[in-house]
Amino acid sequence: MDTIRIFDTTLRDGEQSPGATLTQPEKLEIARHLELMGVDVIEAGFPVSSQGDFESVRAIASELTRSVVCGLARCAAGDIDRAGEAVAPASAAGRGRIHVFCATSKIHREHKLRKGKEEILKLAVRSIGHALQYTPDVEFSPEDASRTEMEFLEEMVHAAVEAGATTINLPDTVGYATPKTYGEIFSHLLAKLPVLRERKIVLSTHCHDDLGMAVANSLAGVEAGARQVECTINGIGERAGNAALEEVVMALRTRADYFNVGTRVDSTKIYSASRMVSALTGLAVPRNKAVVGRNAFAHESGIHQDGMLKNRQTYEIMDPATVGLPTTVLVLGKHSGRAAFRDRVTTLGYALTEEQVESAFGRFKALADKKKEVFDEDVESLIDEQLDVSASLWELVGLQVVAGTNTTPTATVTLRDSTGETVTDASVGDGPVDAIYSAIQRLTKIEVTLVDYRVQSLSKWKDALGEVQVEMEHSGRTIRGRGRSTDILEASARAYLAAINRLRSLNRREQLVSAKAAV
Ligand code: KIV
Ligand code: ZN
């Protein structure tokens, strides 16, 4: 059975999802998990795009020891130099890759690049040569390949291979292809260009989900000979996103009888990766999302439940354990000790430091006091919030809300800032949540516009943990935050603070970067 390389671009294309900006420690955390999962190539960022991105790619390239670390570059010397420098620590260990791209379709050539075919061809060849000065592992992407004239695509791919590219990625940049037409691009190139097989060039898929066909198109590419799939955790990415890693990996695994290929990914780490990416980007996973959605393995109808009890395979094509989904119903209670808690955290797929476990354990005890039964979902929420809270600047210390019929809603909020000082203020509002948010705005002095507010229940029964997700705008920037508590008003305050904290840490990072640039 052939092995398909999994190229994860959560930290590059995924981070291009509006509002999904990640800090450097968050990117490192995700990269570590991807390596642990057995992802072959991690596209860690677009180094020339910002100093922060450069530093993140460099930090990931310095720390990882197994996955190939890749940096993206346009066909421009400055881009390639930045990418080459950023992945240098990995290149020194034979695991650094530069991914060079240049648009080739007619519409991009004429309207975006304003360059002719010959010029683009020369530019690509020159850029690949330049990238080879940093690493022998150079990937080339003719952007918008699926809308490029086949003859020109053929010419371009041939020239890129002759110039020394070892991986050729054929992006369906705007999610326009269908499985049949996308697969045909691969079959056509393999038939027309024998050099691809002679030099063992790896052909790669990169599909966007504008018409909901990203995974189907990627799999069609594999059927037609692609041996690398570019994808992201939870399918996040530009616009409608990219092909979802978990769906690609599980389709290849579950239908190995059909595809006859495998991957090196440890699928039991999929669920925790999904939770981590969702927690750190603030992008919620839809309940009905394939493989990792909360309902993906839930059976509601009586007929289905009856079938499941008789034989799971009547309605389940994958064992939830193979994606690392916790299957235990009831896990911990207020009498559970530290060891049981640590054990459950590890089983759920988290690799926390002792300090992080200790802090999460304190929060677990507080929750167990409020709630009779603590489910796996509750524990996951605690840890996810823990990961968010590590970057916390403002902390919620106290909250009192007065609301009801014929009463003006009033909230009194106490916060602790990063110096340890506590401050209290009160405010009225149109409703209890509005009152809380206006009190927090008075305390933090950060004015934001709330554009979205959502509440959902995370676990079972009436004492379930509630999760509030907010989306806000500040100076043209979108930021998200989420908060959890058995009390929805407290969860609302936590979500708002998480977003404010995220905004402050992003601003701080930018200030640091521009201060460095000024030196
Ligand atoms: O979608 C796309 O074409 C890309 C390229 C940079 C590979 O993301
Ligand atoms: Zn893309």
Side-chain angles (χ1 to χ4, degrees):
M1 250 205 322
D2 268 5
T3 301
I4 303 297
R5 286 186 195 170
I6 296 296
F7 176 116
D8 180 279
T9 183
T10 305
L11 300 176
R12 199 278 297 170
D13 218 326
E15 211 214 5
Q16 287 174 217
S17 308
T21 322
L22 295 161
T23 62
Q24 182 176 316
E26 291 169 341
K27 287 188 182 179
L28 257 171
E29 186 108 29
I30 293 174
R32 282 186 203 120
H33 198 86
L34 293 173
E35 180 169 73
L36 196 72
M37 274 175 86
V39 162
D40 299 281
V41 187
I42 298 173
E43 187 162 58
F46 188 7
V48 81
S49 66
S50 71
Q51 180 67 18
D53 229 40
F54 174 85
E55 283 169 12
S56 297
V57 177
R58 180 123 187 144
I60 292 168
S62 308
E63 191 182 306
L64 299 195
T65 55
R66 293 193 299 274
S67 302
V68 168
V69 179
C70 173
L72 182 71
R74 287 167 299 189
C75 281
D79 280 38
I80 296 166
D81 291 337
R82 285 305 266 167
E85 285 164 34
V87 299
S91 304
R95 290 177 296 93
R97 175 179 295 191
I98 301 180
H99 177 188
V100 191
F101 75 100
C102 183
T104 49
S105 65
K106 187 165 186 288
I107 188 151
H108 279 242
R109 287 193 316 261
E110 290 178 359
H111 297 276
K112 187 178 86 174
L113 300 178
R114 300 212 170 92
K115 289 190 197 315
K117 289 180 181 171
E118 266 317 298
E119 201 181 343
I120 290 176
L121 210 77
K122 281 193 193 140
L123 186 64
V125 167
R126 195 180 331 127
S127 302
I128 293 166
H130 189 150
L132 285 167
Q133 292 171 12
Y134 289 96
T135 167
D137 187 349
V138 174
E139 169 170 333
F140 177 71
S141 287
E143 191 190 4
D144 206 12
S146 56
R147 292 195 298 171
T148 300
E149 306 92 316
M150 193 57 98
E151 225 171 85
F152 182 50
L153 189 63
E154 209 178 297
E155 215 181 319
M156 190 74 195
V157 169
H158 189 244
V161 170
E162 289 300 335
T166 47
T167 302
I168 300 290
N169 180 43
L170 300 168
D172 181 28
T173 304
V174 290
Y176 181 75
T178 65
K180 185 161 182 285
T181 57
Y182 192 60
E184 278 166 4
I185 301 175
F186 289 83
S187 326
H188 179 92
L189 292 176
L190 282 166
K192 287 282 187 168
L193 301 173
V195 68
L196 294 174
R197 290 197 203 276
E198 284 158 19
R199 300 214 189 148
K200 296 194 168 55
I201 301 298
V202 174
L203 292 186
S204 166
T205 68
H206 179 110
C207 299
H208 281 269
D209 210 29
D210 301 65
L211 292 172
M213 292 191 278
V215 171
N217 286 341
S218 307
L219 295 172
V222 168
E223 279 191 81
R227 286 297 172 263
Q228 173 177 287
V229 174
E230 301 197 353
C231 43
T232 59
I233 301 288
N234 298 336
I236 64 170
E238 190 79 45
R239 305 182 310 281
N242 291 62
L245 179 146
E246 61 278 7
E247 295 177 25
V248 170
V249 167
M250 289 314 288
L252 294 178
R253 184 189 155 121
T254 310
R255 295 308 311 275
D257 61 317
Y258 175 75
F259 291 106
N260 208 23
V261 292
T263 72
R264 275 182 277 266
V265 169
D266 172 0
S267 64
T268 64
K269 303 274 187 297
I270 282 180
Y271 186 68
S272 44
S274 162
R275 298 285 306 191
M276 176 184 279
V277 168
S278 170
L280 295 179
T281 57
L283 297 174
V285 176
R287 276 182 180 258
N288 64 335
K289 163 92 179 57
V291 183
V292 290
R294 213 163 266 282
N295 292 354
F297 296 94
H299 303 271
E300 181 70 28
S301 103
I303 298 173
H304 286 210
Q305 287 180 352
D306 179 53
M308 284 290 293
L309 289 172
K310 290 175 175 147
N311 181 340
R312 292 188 80 88
Q313 287 177 6
T314 50
Y315 287 102
E316 238 170 44
I317 58 165
M318 295 169 264
D319 178 346
T322 58
V323 300
L325 201 89
T327 43
T328 1
V329 184
L330 179 63
V331 270
L332 301 163
K334 71 175 181 183
H335 301 298
S336 308
R338 205 174 260 94
F341 179 73
R342 188 184 293 113
D343 181 60
R344 181 97 315 250
V345 167
T346 313
T347 312
L348 290 172
Y350 293 96
L352 299 188
T353 62
E354 261 319 295
E355 212 177 292
Q356 285 171 320
V357 171
E358 205 44 46
S359 160
F361 182 66
R363 293 155 63 83
F364 155 71
K365 278 292 197 191
L367 179 67
D369 268 341
K370 288 192 210 163
K371 218 172 170 279
K372 268 207 307 279
E373 302 161 335
V374 179
F375 297 95
D376 282 349
E377 293 96 320
D378 298 322
V379 177
E380 285 170 346
S381 300
L382 281 176
I383 311 289
D384 290 348
E385 209 179 48
Q386 174 80 34
L387 295 170
D388 274 351
V389 164
S390 7
S392 179
L393 303 164
W394 288 104
E395 197 189 325
L396 182 70
V397 178
L399 172 70
Q400 268 184 322
V401 183
V402 180
T405 340
N406 302 326
T407 315
T408 307
T410 312
T412 308
V413 178
T414 305
L415 301 181
R416 184 179 295 118
D417 69 12
S418 49
T419 66
E421 196 187 329
T422 52
V423 280
T424 301
D425 209 338
S427 183
V428 292
D430 289 339
V433 173
D434 188 45
I436 294 171
Y437 288 179
S438 115
I440 297 180
Q441 263 193 28
R442 287 164 68 114
L443 288 168
T444 59
K445 304 195 172 40
I446 299 178
E447 283 211 11
V448 289
T449 312
L450 186 68
V451 289
D452 197 14
Y453 172 92
R454 275 180 237 180
V455 194
Q456 63 167 333
S457 128
L458 287 182
S459 55
K460 304 175 188 79
W461 323 136
K462 63 180 185 333
D463 59 354
L465 263 191
E467 178 181 89
V468 172
Q469 290 181 26
V470 292
E471 190 174 313
M472 304 168 172
E473 267 171 21
H474 176 83
S475 308
R477 169 177 244 161
T478 306
I479 25 156
R480 293 193 173 89
R482 63 163 123 190
R484 288 140 188 164
S485 169
T486 47
D487 173 345
I488 284 302
L489 293 178
E490 185 184 322
S492 304
R494 290 190 181 282
Y496 194 93
L497 277 180
I500 296 261
N501 284 335
R502 176 166 288 262
L503 177 70
R504 280 191 54 185
S505 60
L506 287 171
N507 284 348
R508 252 185 214 184
R509 197 181 75 185
E510 277 166 13
Q511 278 162 11
L512 238 112
V513 168
S514 45
K516 260 197 204 164
V519 172

